[in-house]
Amino acid sequence: MLTPPRTVVRRDGGLYALERALQRRGFRHVAGADEAGRGACAGPLVAAAAILPEGRRGEIDELADSKLLTPAARERVHDEVVARALAYAVVVIPAEEVDARGLHVCNLAAMRRALASLTTRPEYVLTDGFGVDGLDVPGLAVWKGDRVAACVAAASVLAKVTRDRIMVELDGRFPGYGFAEHKGYITAEHSAALRALGPCREHRFSYVNVAAVSGRDGRPPRARRPVGTDAASPEPAAGLPGLGPGAFAGRPDEPMGHCGASGGTVGVALGEQPRPPASVGEDVVMEGGVR
C-alpha cells in the first residue's frame, strides 16, 4: 500500500504556511487556540479560539503574535479577526476559579471550552504550547504557535484584547493598583501597590507574591483565597466587566456563550466539572514576572 507523501512545512514559509499545508491535506477548517493572562497575578485568564477563512480573505494585515503588536495594532487586528473569521470564541476564567482549580487546569479547560464553542466545527486544531485533550478532532501543540500559525496568532489577539479591556475596566473599580497600565502582571509598580494596599478580590491568592502580602502564605494554595469579601473590595461579587451584551455565566450543564451573527462567542466559564488539582508549582508560574 502506498503511503501519502510527507508534508514539510518550512520555518521560513511565513505565518500561513502551516495552515495552508493542512488545508492541502484536506483539513479545510483549521482552528487555533491561545490564552492571555497566564503570568498575571490579578484579573481573569482569557482563552480564545478562531478559524480563519481559506485564501486571501483569511490573510490579515499586521497579524502577528499579540505580544509583538502595539496596543493600537492589536485593536485593529482584533476587529479584522472578528470581521473575517469563520468562527471565533472567547472564554473568561475569573481569578477565583484560577485559585480554586489551579492555573494549568484552568488554562486547558478554557482552551477546550473556546474550541467547543466555535460555531464552525474545526477539522484540525493547533494550540499554543500545550496539547488539549478531550477534543474529537486531530490536533497539534505548537511551540510558540502564535508566531508560526495564523489561526493561533488570531486567537492570541482576541484573548489579549479582551483581557486588556477587562483590566482597564477593573482599574476603575479597584483604583490604586494600576491595572490599566500593567494589566495585572507583576511589575515594580504593581508590587509596590500590593504592599501598600494589600490584594483586592481580583488578585489570585494562590500566587505566592499575593499570598505573601495577604498574610496567607503559610496556607496551601487552594486555601489562600479568603472566603467572602476582603477589606480592599467590600462590594459583593459581580459579573466581570468588559464583555458587553451576550456575556454568559455558565453552569456545567449549560451551553457555553451566546453566538452572534458573525459566528463569535463570548462567555464566562464558571464551575466546569472538577478535575484533579494541579501541582503547587503550576500556581506560581509567572511569565516574565517574579515569584
Side-chain angles (χ1 to χ4, degrees):
M1 183 176 69
L2 295 176
T3 58
R6 182 184 178 191
T7 299
V8 177
V9 180
R10 295 175 56 89
R11 281 185 178 273
D12 58 358
L15 195 61
Y16 294 88
L18 183 52
E19 279 162 271
R20 298 295 182 256
L22 288 167
Q23 288 162 353
R24 288 195 298 272
R25 286 296 189 144
F27 301 103
R28 293 186 57 204
H29 299 150
V30 182
D34 199 4
E35 51 73 31
R38 183 179 175 89
C41 68
L45 178 72
V46 178
I51 300 176
L52 297 176
E54 297 177 83
R56 288 298 186 98
R57 178 164 174 76
E59 296 180 6
I60 298 173
D61 291 342
E62 299 184 280
L63 180 61
D65 173 7
S66 62
K67 295 183 289 296
L68 302 179
L69 299 173
T70 65
R74 279 197 298 267
E75 290 284 347
R76 290 193 297 270
V77 172
H78 172 276
D79 292 347
E80 283 293 308
V81 171
V82 168
R84 296 194 190 195
L86 292 178
Y88 70 92
V90 179
V91 171
V92 180
I93 305 287
E96 62 187 46
E97 190 86 356
V98 175
D99 283 342
R101 303 181 61 221
L103 174 66
H104 189 60
V105 170
C106 286
N107 188 33
L108 296 184
M111 288 199 289
R112 186 183 304 111
R113 282 187 161 212
L115 288 162
S117 300
L118 291 169
T119 55
T120 297
R121 184 177 183 273
E123 298 171 358
Y124 200 98
V125 169
L126 300 173
T127 53
D128 183 36
F130 301 97
V132 178
D133 59 4
L135 305 176
D136 60 353
V137 295
L140 177 67
V142 182
W143 178 246
K144 294 191 179 298
D146 45 9
R147 300 191 183 190
V148 298
C151 57
V152 180
S156 78
V157 170
L158 291 174
K160 174 66 174 168
V161 170
T162 299
R163 188 178 187 280
D164 283 358
R165 291 174 179 176
I166 291 173
M167 295 309 296
V168 169
E169 293 201 34
L170 288 178
D171 185 67
R173 290 172 54 190
F174 301 95
Y177 295 100
F179 288 155
E181 287 75 36
H182 54 64
K183 308 301 189 293
Y185 286 88
I186 310 169
T187 63
E189 293 78 9
H190 191 183
S191 297
L194 267 174
R195 291 190 296 270
L197 303 175
C200 72
R201 190 179 63 243
E202 294 298 330
H203 280 95
R204 302 177 187 176
F205 286 79
S206 56
Y207 280 44
V208 292
N209 65 317
V210 178
V213 297
S214 69
R216 303 175 70 84
D217 53 326
R219 297 176 179 237
R222 299 296 183 272
R224 285 177 181 158
R225 174 169 285 273
V227 177
T229 60
D230 54 75
S233 57
E235 61 184 274
L240 283 169
L243 296 181
F248 183 88
R251 298 196 307 269
D253 57 344
E254 290 180 321
M256 188 62 235
H258 169 79
C259 301
S262 63
T265 305
V266 178
V268 179
L270 294 173
E272 185 174 294
Q273 295 294 339
R275 294 172 176 267
S279 65
V280 173
E282 291 167 345
D283 288 329
V284 296
V285 174
M286 305 292 183
E287 292 179 350
V290 295
R291 297 185 177 209

